[in-house]
Structure formats: structure tokens, C-alpha cells
Amino acid sequence: MSTDTAPHFIRDLIAADLAEGKNGGVIHTRFPPEPNGFLHIGHAKAIHLDFGMAAEFGGECNLRFDDTNPVKEETLYVEGIKEDIRWLGYAWDHELYASDWFERLYELAVQLIRKGLAYVDNQSLEQIREGRGMFKRPGVDSPFRTRSVDENLALFEKMRAGDFAEGEAVLRAKIDMSSPNMNLRDPIMYRILKAHHHRTGDAWCIYPMYDWAHGESDALEGITHSLCTLEFENHRPLYEWFVDHLDGLPVRPRQIEMARLNLSYTVLSKRKLLRLVKEELVDGWDDPRMPTLVGMRRRGYSPAAIRQFCDRIGVAKRDGVVDVTLLEHALREDLNETSIRVMGVIDPLEVVIENFPEGHTEWFEAPLHPTRPELGMRRIPLSRRVYVERDDFREVAPRKWRRLSPGAEVRLRYAALITVREVVKDAAGQVVRLICTYDPDAVGGDPTDGRKVQGTLHWVSAEHAVSSQVYLYDRLFTVPAPDAEEADFTTFLNPDSLQVMGGAKLEPYLATVAPETRVQFERLGYFVAEGEGGARFNRTIGLRDSWARVERSEPKPAAPAAPEEKKMTEETVTAEVIEVSAREDREPAKEVITFDDFAKLDLRVGVIREAGPVKGARKLLRLGVDLGEGRLRQVFAGVAKAYPDPSVLLGESVVVVANLAPRQMSFGLSEAMILAGGGGTDRLGMTTLKGTFLPGDTVT
RNA sequence: UGGGCUGUGGUCGAAUUGGCAAGACGUCGGGUUCUGGCCCCGAAGGUUCUAGGUUCGAGUCCUAGCAGCCCAACCA
């Protein structure tokens, strides 16, 4: 199953051990999850390595649940974890639990006591912590450290029998209270927990600690290479101390540590993921925005893409942050190869082909994959009314525009060539319909005269369309390293990480796909079917979009559109929003708002009721804006230079972005932004509206 | 002078163990195209954490620093 070929130090170490004939020349690994949460992409890295190394060197890999803490663990999680591993494409050789070894572990502990290497300590938790000392100060021996072997044996038996209450006694290894390594200052091996265990029930009231249970379980089940993450490096001396002081172990396991995976724009700590779930910041462990395996599965990730990603990131000891784009690349690479192509319109704009016969349907055959004919064909109907993507039409075509605009001819993929003849708008000026004509000779979209057609669009026949809800997912966080920031990571949650498009229209073929089918909506991205009948699709990831890059890099017009013209081109707006936004942003380039974002803005008419300077900020004006909400919103706008006398603004109608998160500035809370713009200071100004508007009116 | 680990283009990561600093992602430019996708071609980007030293030759060895991460749960 492993496709891993890149060299890394763990492979080298294993190969060397095998060459030396250690442990009889066999390799046996294990993946040891604690059943207290769901697996995430970081675990996938470990799984890939554990199973991959065993497979590559002809050994076995166990699944062993590290269930040594009954108060935190649940059966629910063990089933989930097993399902995730299977889904990822791995099969374990033996399913085991640390709890399977409780009796053997107990015997080994007795062996250590007999050797005088472990003792029962009756100090309190606080006393033990106190006695352990500090980093720079050695610990002191417990007064119970010198108990006789017989006494320890008897006491340990009483611990197991339940004669002590929780906290009254622990079993400790007798190592070195002055070791610079805290783990060797007589670590606790057993504590008393009168809790019900999900597998052993009430059979035990003493439970082994990680360091004791993990290494010895490894040894007992014949694990030769125990791969784990860097934070256990300090534990290795203890791991080795235990196996070296015990007789009769079948193998001498070796612990090897590697860096855990960190991914940009997300968090990968179980604690933080649990918080997202518990505080309902996401819809559960399987929310498609979660980096959990269940979440990624619902998002549409393929196991192969995840495995490929694990290959690409390699294995090393340096801890860094892997760029999500690497994951996304692996995803697209696999999905491009495996996903069938279909058409779906997410934000429909109606097109009427006026010279197409009423009531007539034309059917076209189209391949389900551009380079893999074996995946078959599907039929696509064309009728007089079709839907195209609203974003594919511009009343005023920008430079290099290859889509719909008045008079322009484009291709409806696989079907026809159409030209926009008329733009129909509603009372508010919103485009509601395009009247087009098509070229009846260009059957299937092939012009007979060899003329060049500038663009090809996806579309859906209105009459045959399947209605669907499309869930658009985006990154969960707005910053590359949410847990490296000073503020709590939840403050960086991306408010636009989910957008539900309720009115999507899909080609009829989509009604037939099975749940979890991964498809590419041509020109839009990869999506996965959730449920039956095409009723819901989740966007896995968009296509690479070089048009978006072109758009971003186009020079922006210097001045805003004329004040009385409410409609503006997107470039204008982009420039203006930047103009008013705060300057201390760390990554200005990322602050550019795309057309998609623009559609999410709630633009409203605001009437300025208050206007005045801001003390300590030459460029800012403090405005009180009436949005018809029964109160004034306070807005700080960087337009002071344009209005030496702010009072001229009183009573003016301006365009307000009403649905932005309020921004805390040092002078006060800014509760909205006002559209303004200009090529230079001399032409700086706010867009004002002339005519009769009511505060709160929507601007389109 | 607590201990351990790690420092290689923006990111992840190799370097036959002392011999021309791989590759991938990302970025930029071009070609192709009935997906502004895929694919193809090209480019930019490095004082290998710093300073000394050994050597014909140092990412690799030595010395001294610096930076980051981990460790004081009866968690794993």
C-alpha cells in the first residue's frame, strides 16, 4: 500500500537494524491511538509511516489502543478510529489494547519490585510534586523509598485489591531523584483510579501510566520499532530503562521520534479540536472544515490524496509548519485523475435563447473524463432556457474577459454558441435574465466557419435541471498559524469558511450519483455528493484559478465611478475597500477582496448624522451613520484630508458596508466601513449618493 | 553552565557520509486547450543560523555562540 520512496532517517535506522539482525531480523510496528478523540491528518502521517515501514520491510503492524486512562476514553472513539484507518486504506495485523496486557504488566511490575527497583509511595500528590524538584534543582527521596521488598509487594497487592482510596498510594520506579531528566525522578507506574474501564469494566482499580504501559506493551506484543513524536524524546531514557531492567521480554523494542505534522491555516491538537467541537464553533468532529479524517472524508478528500501528501512531506526531526497548499496540491492531483466531469451552476443566471425552438430539447453526448474514455459518457439536454453562472456575465467586460458580456459570443460547453443580445434587469437594476441567440449551424459548439470563440462556459438546461444545495467550504482560519498567535486561536476563525448556495442547478446526470461520489463541476472545482439524488454537494476544493490572479494584478482605476451611478465595476470597489481598510495589516496582499467576496458584502445607504475629527489621528473622521436601525453606527473613516470641514458631510447619503465585524480601534469601536476612493489625496472622497434614499436601503 | 532535540531558497525536504547544495509545493513568464483546469516549456529565488578553526576541498568534522521546540499530570 505504501508508495513512500523518499529517503528518511527512520527508514535508514530500520534498514540498519535489520541488516544487523536485531530482533531476529524482523520488523514489527504499531499505531497506538488513545481512544479519546477522532483521528486527524497528523495521525495520518503516523499511520502512513507505521504501516508503510512494516509493509516495506515485510513486517507486521498492529493497531493498539492506548487505553490506560478510563476516565477519558470511550468505545465510541475506538470504532471511529478503526473506521478511519480502514478508510485510509490500511489493514492492521492484530487489534490489541493496552488493557489486554494489564495482567502481564502487573506481573512485570512485581518483577521490578522484587528486584528492588519499584516501591509503593504513600505521599500525597502535592508531596510527590514537591519532592520531584525543579529543572535546576534535584528532587529529594520519598520517605517511603526505602521500604522492603516484602512490604512493597504486600502494599502493591493491597493497591490492586482496592484497599486504598484514590490518591493514597502509587507505585513508583526507583531510579534517580537527582536526574536532570525529570522522567527519571522515580516516575509513577501505577495510580489508583476507581473508574469503570470501557473494556475491563471494574476488574481493575489500579491503572498503568503511559511510560510503563506503552513500552512494555510494545515489548510484550513483539514491537521492534516504536515510532512516535518528538515530545517523547525525553521519555526514551525511561523507555529504555524499563526494558533493560526486565527479564523475559520477547523483543527489545526501540523508540524512534519524528516531528509531528503542523499544517498552516488549521490546528492539529486534540485539545483544540475538541474545543471547536464542544463550543460548537464547528458542526462536530466530522464537519468538513475539520482536519479530522472524518471531516476530510465528508469534505471529499480521497484516501489516495492523503497518502500522497504524507509521502511528499517526508519524515524528519525538524518541527515546522507544512503549507496547506501542499495538501491541496496532492488533493487536486488525485481528484483531477479520478473525478468525473459534470456541469453545475452554483449561482444561476437565466439565459433565454430566443431563436431556439420552444419546447424542443437537443441532447448531446459528453465524456465523463477528458483523458479517460473508459469512464464513459453521459447525455446533456439543451433547451430554450438555460442557466449560466452569474459570475460569468459582466455588463462591462474587463480586459482579457472571455465570458459573457453584451454582444460577445461564447460557447456553452459541448452544445452551442450563443451571443448576448439583451440584458434584462429588475426595478432595482439587478440583472435577472440574458436574452441570447445561438448559431444553429454550430452543432455541439463547433463553428462551421472556423471562427475563434473566446470562451467556453458551463451551463445547465433549466427545464431538466436538478435543484441542489451546494456547500462552499473554505479554510477554517484566516491566519497561517492560528495557535502561534498571542490571542486565542478561536479569534482567527474564518467567518466565511462556509457558504451555503441554496439555489444551485445541476445537469440531470447528477441525480444518479451515489453518496460520496467525487466529481468535478467543470470550471468550478471538486465536489462530493452528500446523500442521494444530487440534493447536496460539498465543495472539496476549487480549481486553480489563474483568472483570479489576472484580476488581482490588473491595474485599478484611479477614481471611483460617478457618484450618481450606483453600479460600479469590481476593480473600483476593490481599490476603494483597500483604501479605507486599516493600515497595520501584516499581509496587505491577502487583504484584497475578490469579486466573490464582494457579493457577500451587505451594502446599504447610510445617512451621515454626525461628523467630526478624531483626536490623535489626523487622517480619521469619526462619523455617526444612520442605517435606519434606530441608532447611529460609529464609523472611523480615513478621509479627513478630503473634508477639512467635516460638517459638509452632515445629511449626505453614502454607501456603507454594513455586515463587517466591528473593529476595535484605539479611539473606539468602528462598526462599518464607508466606500471611498481616489487616486491621490487631492481626489480622495467618499462616494455620495444623490436622489431619494432611505437609511438602510440596499445598494446593488 | 538544568536536561534533551532541531536549525538547508517563501514552505516541506534530499545530499553516495569530506567532493558541482536534489526534488516537490508555492511564485513569475510563455505554449497548448471546447474547463482561465490538466498538460508542456522556461525563470527567479541560497553568505546551508552566526563566528572562528581543520582541510586542496566543509551543509557534512572541531570550538564557541545564537535561535526555536520539548520536559517539573496520579495525561498520552
Side-chain angles (χ1 to χ4, degrees):
Chain A
M1 178 53 71
S2 172
T3 51
D4 196 347
T5 50
H8 58 72
F9 77 101
I10 292 182
R11 172 186 284 108
D12 293 345
L13 291 176
I14 292 173
D17 283 350
L18 258 23
E20 272 180 50
K22 282 189 188 169
N23 293 309
V26 304
I27 173 179
H28 198 156
T29 60
R30 102 273 90 118
F31 174 64
E34 185 189 8
N36 68 347
F38 284 87
L39 264 25
H40 55 66
I41 182 74
H43 293 109
K45 175 184 179 183
I47 292 169
H48 183 71
L49 219 221
D50 289 327
F51 285 88
M53 287 300 95
E56 184 175 328
F57 292 103
E60 295 189 330
C61 181
N62 292 355
L63 169 60
R64 184 183 69 235
F65 288 96
D66 238 333
D67 55 350
T68 56
N69 189 348
V71 312
K72 279 167 59 183
E73 294 147 8
E74 296 175 27
T75 313
L76 159 75
Y77 294 121
V78 346
E79 290 312 315
I81 287 169
K82 284 161 67 176
E83 175 62 19
D84 286 345
I85 297 172
R86 278 190 289 255
W87 176 75
L88 248 196
Y90 297 96
W92 50 89
D93 292 285
H94 307 279
E95 176 183 335
L96 293 165
Y97 296 77
S99 52
D100 292 339
W101 301 113
F102 279 179
E103 191 62 46
R104 299 289 303 279
L105 255 15
Y106 180 85
E107 291 166 12
L108 290 176
V110 168
Q111 184 188 137
L112 239 32
I113 294 172
R114 288 220 158 89
K115 288 180 172 179
L117 294 174
Y119 62 98
V120 172
D121 195 342
N122 292 105
Q123 291 183 106
S124 69
L125 205 159
E126 293 73 27
Q127 288 168 322
I128 288 177
R129 189 193 306 131
E130 193 66 28
R132 194 151 26 217
M134 314 277 261
F135 286 141
K136 303 189 183 191
R137 225 176 266 304
V140 296
D141 289 359
S142 163
F144 302 99
R145 198 173 197 259
T146 50
R147 284 216 255 236
S148 71
V149 167
D150 288 341
E151 191 182 3
N152 280 317
L153 250 19
L155 255 16
F156 188 41
E157 209 165 303
K158 288 185 70 176
M159 278 175 66
R160 176 178 183 170
D163 294 350
F164 292 108
E166 286 188 14
E168 281 184 358
V170 294
L171 183 73
R172 291 232 254 171
K174 192 189 290 186
I175 306 180
D176 178 5
M177 289 306 290
S178 62
S179 169
N181 184 339
M182 287 292 185
N183 292 305
L184 297 181
R185 318 247 261 229
D186 288 10
I188 291 168
M189 296 167 63
Y190 280 93
R191 78 286 213 190
I192 294 167
L193 248 30
K194 304 213 166 171
H196 189 82
H197 187 279
H198 72 111
R199 299 196 87 235
T200 59
D202 299 314
W204 295 85
C205 63
I206 57 172
Y207 290 92
M209 298 288 289
Y210 167 85
D211 286 300
W212 172 244
H214 197 95
E216 285 30 77
S217 296
D218 279 347
L220 289 169
E221 65 189 69
I223 302 305
T224 59
H225 298 268
S226 188
L227 313 182
C228 64
T229 47
L230 251 27
E231 64 267 33
F232 293 102
E233 238 160 2
N234 296 326
H235 295 243
R236 179 155 27 99
L238 176 54
Y239 187 101
E240 291 174 344
W241 188 91
F242 279 136
V243 290
D244 287 343
H245 286 84
L246 258 8
D247 298 320
L249 299 179
V251 291
R252 159 66 216 239
R254 203 237 269 225
Q255 174 181 303
I256 304 171
E257 313 85 15
M258 57 159 168
R260 71 179 325 129
L261 171 67
N262 295 302
L263 243 201
S264 62
Y265 294 99
T266 191
V267 292
L268 287 183
S269 96
K270 237 185 231 181
R271 218 195 95 255
K272 294 193 172 102
L273 293 175
L274 183 62
R275 252 191 79 192
L276 291 174
V277 173
K278 283 266 154 65
E279 294 177 20
E280 302 189 350
L281 271 6
V282 294
D283 294 331
W285 287 101
D286 66 346
D287 186 301
R289 293 167 294 186
M290 290 283 274
T292 52
L293 263 17
V294 271
M296 295 172 80
R297 179 176 181 172
R298 272 188 73 200
R299 177 75 171 259
Y301 273 80
S302 62
I306 295 173
R307 280 186 249 119
Q308 181 60 229
F309 169 72
C310 291
D311 265 1
R312 295 278 174 84
I313 57 175
V315 178
K317 297 191 75 163
R318 173 158 63 129
D319 61 349
V321 182
V322 174
D323 200 322
V324 255
T325 58
L326 195 52
L327 212 211
E328 294 174 344
H329 174 262
L331 217 211
R332 290 195 181 100
E333 189 175 55
D334 182 60
L335 261 20
N336 176 53
E337 190 59 24
T338 56
S339 298
I340 58 169
R341 308 299 141 109
V342 290
M343 293 195 286
V345 176
I346 284 180
D347 184 13
L349 173 61
E350 185 183 343
V351 167
V352 174
I353 307 171
E354 57 182 357
N355 60 338
F356 192 94
E358 199 107 34
H360 179 64
T361 299
E362 194 87 30
W363 290 86
F364 299 94
E365 285 246 302
L368 283 166
H369 195 281
T371 59
R372 299 179 59 192
E374 73 274 18
L375 293 182
M377 312 279 283
R378 89 283 193 186
R379 300 179 75 219
I380 307 172
L382 173 67
S383 60
R384 187 177 155 92
R385 284 174 56 245
V386 303
Y387 294 114
V388 298
E389 208 66 58
R390 182 167 287 277
D391 196 31
D392 281 336
F393 171 74
R394 281 303 149 74
E395 230 178 330
V396 180
R399 247 160 55 79
K400 297 182 183 173
W401 184 252
R402 312 215 307 240
R403 312 182 192 177
L404 256 11
S405 64
E409 181 176 54
V410 300
R411 171 163 30 238
L412 296 184
R413 177 148 234 230
Y414 298 125
L417 262 25
I418 62 168
T419 304
V420 181
R421 305 258 93 117
E422 191 187 336
V423 179
V424 181
K425 300 183 189 176
D426 63 12
Q430 171 99 336
V431 177
V432 292
R433 183 161 43 247
L434 263 23
I435 309 295
C436 299
T437 54
Y438 85 116
D439 177 356
D441 295 329
V443 180
D446 279 319
T448 46
D449 59 0
R451 94 186 90 105
K452 194 80 181 154
V453 179
Q454 31 185 352
T456 299
L457 269 35
H458 62 278
W459 57 279
V460 168
S461 166
E463 188 187 323
H464 308 83
V466 175
S467 291
S468 181
Q469 290 209 319
V470 174
Y471 284 61
L472 265 22
Y473 293 102
D474 203 347
R475 293 171 184 171
L476 229 203
F477 292 93
T478 55
V479 295
D483 40 10
E485 303 279 344
E486 329 76 68
D488 186 81
F489 73 101
T490 57
T491 63
F492 302 104
L493 279 165
N494 177 7
D496 299 320
S497 59
L498 169 60
Q499 193 187 354
V500 181
M501 305 298 285
K505 300 292 185 182
L506 315 178
E507 67 166 276
Y509 178 80
L510 260 1
T512 67
V513 303
E516 288 198 63
T517 301
R518 289 183 278 264
V519 305
Q520 181 196 106
F521 287 173
E522 295 212 49
R523 305 210 310 132
L524 293 177
Y526 297 98
F527 295 75
V528 63
E530 176 146 329
E532 308 267 354
R536 204 242 250 210
F537 279 86
N538 295 336
R539 180 172 69 188
T540 310
I541 189 164
L543 258 22
R544 280 184 77 228
D545 188 354
S546 54
W547 168 247
R549 285 209 303 273
V550 171
E551 251 183 336
R552 269 199 297 271
S553 63
E554 279 293 290
K556 312 293 192 292
E564 42 282 312
E565 194 184 326
K566 287 196 286 178
K567 189 160 271 301
M568 292 171 258
T569 66
E570 98 198 281
E571 284 86 356
T572 314
V573 173
T574 305
E576 287 166 352
V577 172
I578 292 169
E579 187 64 40
V580 227
S581 69
R583 288 313 166 89
E584 60 268 14
D585 294 314
R586 262 160 287 199
E587 293 174 289
K590 295 246 167 81
E591 295 297 323
V592 172
I593 293 182
T594 67
F595 187 71
D596 280 348
D597 297 327
F598 180 46
K600 296 173 202 157
L601 298 180
D602 182 17
L603 298 181
R604 290 181 182 274
V605 174
V607 177
I608 298 180
R609 304 292 189 203
E610 299 172 4
V614 177
K615 214 181 289 176
R618 279 185 304 123
K619 292 181 177 175
L620 293 183
L621 287 185
R622 187 195 152 282
L623 305 173
V625 184
D626 182 359
L627 285 174
E629 298 168 313
R631 68 176 190 97
L632 296 186
R633 288 217 208 178
Q634 173 170 272
V635 179
F636 292 95
V639 293
K641 279 188 183 170
Y643 304 97
D645 176 12
S647 66
V648 303
L649 289 168
L650 295 177
E652 287 286 351
S653 296
V654 293
V655 181
V656 178
V657 183
N659 62 338
L660 292 177
R663 182 183 183 84
Q664 185 62 54
M665 306 179 78
S666 47
F667 335 97
L669 198 63
S670 191
E671 301 173 285
M673 278 196 329
I674 296 178
L675 291 193
T681 5
D682 50 332
R683 294 203 307 209
L684 179 69
M686 287 189 286
T687 304
T688 53
L689 304 171
K690 296 197 170 56
T692 43
F693 299 102
L694 289 175
D697 276 356
T698 301
V699 179
T700 55

